[in-house]
Amino acid sequence: MRNDQEQAVCTPQPSFSVRRIFALMLRHLYVLRRSWPRLLELMYWPLVQMILWGFVTKFFLGHSDWVAQAAGVLISAVLLWDVLFRANLGVSLPFIEEMWSRNLAQLFISPLRDVELIVALVMMSLVRTLISVTPAAFLALPFFDVWVFQLGVPLLAFFANLLIFGSVIGIGVAALILRFGLGAESLCWLGIFLLAPVSAIYYPVSALPGWLQTIALMLPSAHTFEGMRGVLFDGVFSWSHFWWAAGLNGVMLAAASLFFLHMMKQARIKGLLMQQGE
């Protein structure tokens, strides 16, 4: 018996094994099969990029002189889009980092309240967004002769609305990750880019199909970018777009916060706070 075991140990393994390759592939296929966020992510990025740049191309083909009417409109749009993107990550990533370090349970051993956690994440989002966007805004002048601060006081309104909306998305994503675990962490990026085609970042809402225009006007981001173009093209700040964005943000922030609080309550009941981590 012992000789048989020694012979098995000493038997040289093949230098290349198709069987081992398929075994490892099978392991990852099982992971994909059990994780709908991962499957969604595989199909998601090509689809969103195709839709977004398809609308950009279609609009430019019919409005070739559009960019020339306002210097730096695309760069201004990119910088404001990054405010929305960074605000989302500023909420969701710190929350995920707490889960990676298995620190959620320890946090709530302290007197910390759920609402205080939300406020802290939103404030951290503000700090991270300012650190991320400010250097790019200043460097746009020497590199591209674009001074985004020419928007003046309206820039603060645009910034505030996008910061709040980004935080709303981040809070919703954090709630979903709390419920479904770290397998859903890719929602940090999926959620925000899902809204990019209908946020009218690089083209007006009117460039979208009619049914998408209705959806776009239900988003604070679309009203904000429409307001930005109004300032750049016509020199007029649209109070209508501002109040629509602010009102929608208020409703969505309340809804996202309630959703997060509900998920946190469910996590306590099901003992999920002790089960999260890398």
Side-chain angles (χ1 to χ4, degrees):
M1 181 68 179
R2 183 175 180 180
N3 291 335
D4 292 341
Q5 291 177 346
E6 290 177 353
Q7 184 178 1
V9 171
C10 296
T11 301
Q13 297 295 319
S15 58
F16 186 87
S17 172
V18 175
R19 184 178 181 181
R20 289 197 296 265
I21 293 172
F22 279 107
L24 186 57
M25 289 178 61
L26 189 61
R27 183 261 185 197
H28 289 288
L29 287 173
Y30 283 145
V31 173
L32 279 178
R33 189 182 69 176
R34 297 296 299 272
S35 177
W36 63 265
R38 288 185 174 94
L39 285 172
L40 178 63
E41 185 178 12
L42 290 176
M43 299 177 286
Y44 175 87
W45 293 111
L47 180 62
V48 169
Q49 293 289 356
M50 181 271 295
I51 293 174
L52 177 62
W53 293 107
F55 282 133
V56 171
T57 303
K58 182 179 177 181
F59 178 73
F60 280 176
L61 286 175
H63 303 79
S64 58
D65 60 339
W66 184 77
V67 178
Q69 296 179 28
V73 63
L74 290 179
I75 293 177
S76 300
V78 167
L79 289 173
L80 286 176
W81 161 251
D82 208 52
V83 170
L84 180 60
F85 180 65
R86 297 297 166 184
N88 163 55
L89 293 184
V91 171
S92 55
L93 280 184
F95 183 79
I96 290 177
E97 287 169 355
E98 298 291 356
M99 297 180 68
W100 284 337
S101 60
R102 296 183 180 272
N103 198 43
L104 277 181
Q106 283 78 2
L107 281 178
F108 289 105
I109 291 174
S110 71
L112 180 70
R113 297 182 178 180
D114 296 349
V115 174
E116 294 169 345
L117 174 62
I118 294 175
V119 174
L121 290 173
V122 172
M123 296 305 296
M124 195 62 213
S125 173
L126 170 61
V127 173
R128 292 170 66 110
T129 302
L130 287 173
I131 294 173
S132 299
V133 176
T134 302
F138 279 101
L139 288 174
L141 181 61
F143 278 102
F144 306 107
D145 196 28
V146 172
W147 186 238
V148 69
F149 297 101
Q150 69 178 323
L151 293 170
V153 176
L155 179 63
L156 295 177
F158 301 148
F159 179 86
N161 271 319
L162 291 175
L163 179 72
I164 295 172
F165 187 45
S167 299
V168 165
I169 299 170
I171 293 169
V173 168
L176 290 173
I177 293 173
L178 185 62
R179 173 63 182 83
F180 295 106
L182 288 173
E185 64 183 276
S186 58
L187 292 175
C188 290
W189 296 270
L190 296 180
I192 191 69
F193 277 99
L194 178 65
L195 301 177
V198 289
S199 289
I201 304 165
Y202 308 111
Y203 43 80
V205 173
S206 58
L208 297 170
W211 63 276
L212 270 182
Q213 292 182 28
T214 303
I215 297 174
L217 292 175
M218 295 172 63
L219 299 175
S221 51
H223 288 283
T224 301
F225 285 109
E226 286 285 272
M228 177 205 70
R229 281 185 289 272
V231 173
L232 289 174
F233 285 124
D234 306 320
V236 177
F237 179 74
S238 172
W239 285 101
S240 173
H241 282 303
F242 170 76
W243 287 118
W244 267 108
L248 289 169
N249 269 329
V251 173
M252 292 182 177
L253 181 60
S257 299
L258 290 174
F259 179 57
F260 181 86
L261 294 175
H262 175 70
M263 287 294 107
M264 185 63 73
K265 181 179 179 181
Q266 293 299 311
R268 285 193 173 95
I269 293 173
K270 297 180 180 180
L272 297 178
L273 295 180
M274 299 296 295
Q275 300 174 16
Q276 306 290 357
E278 290 185 289

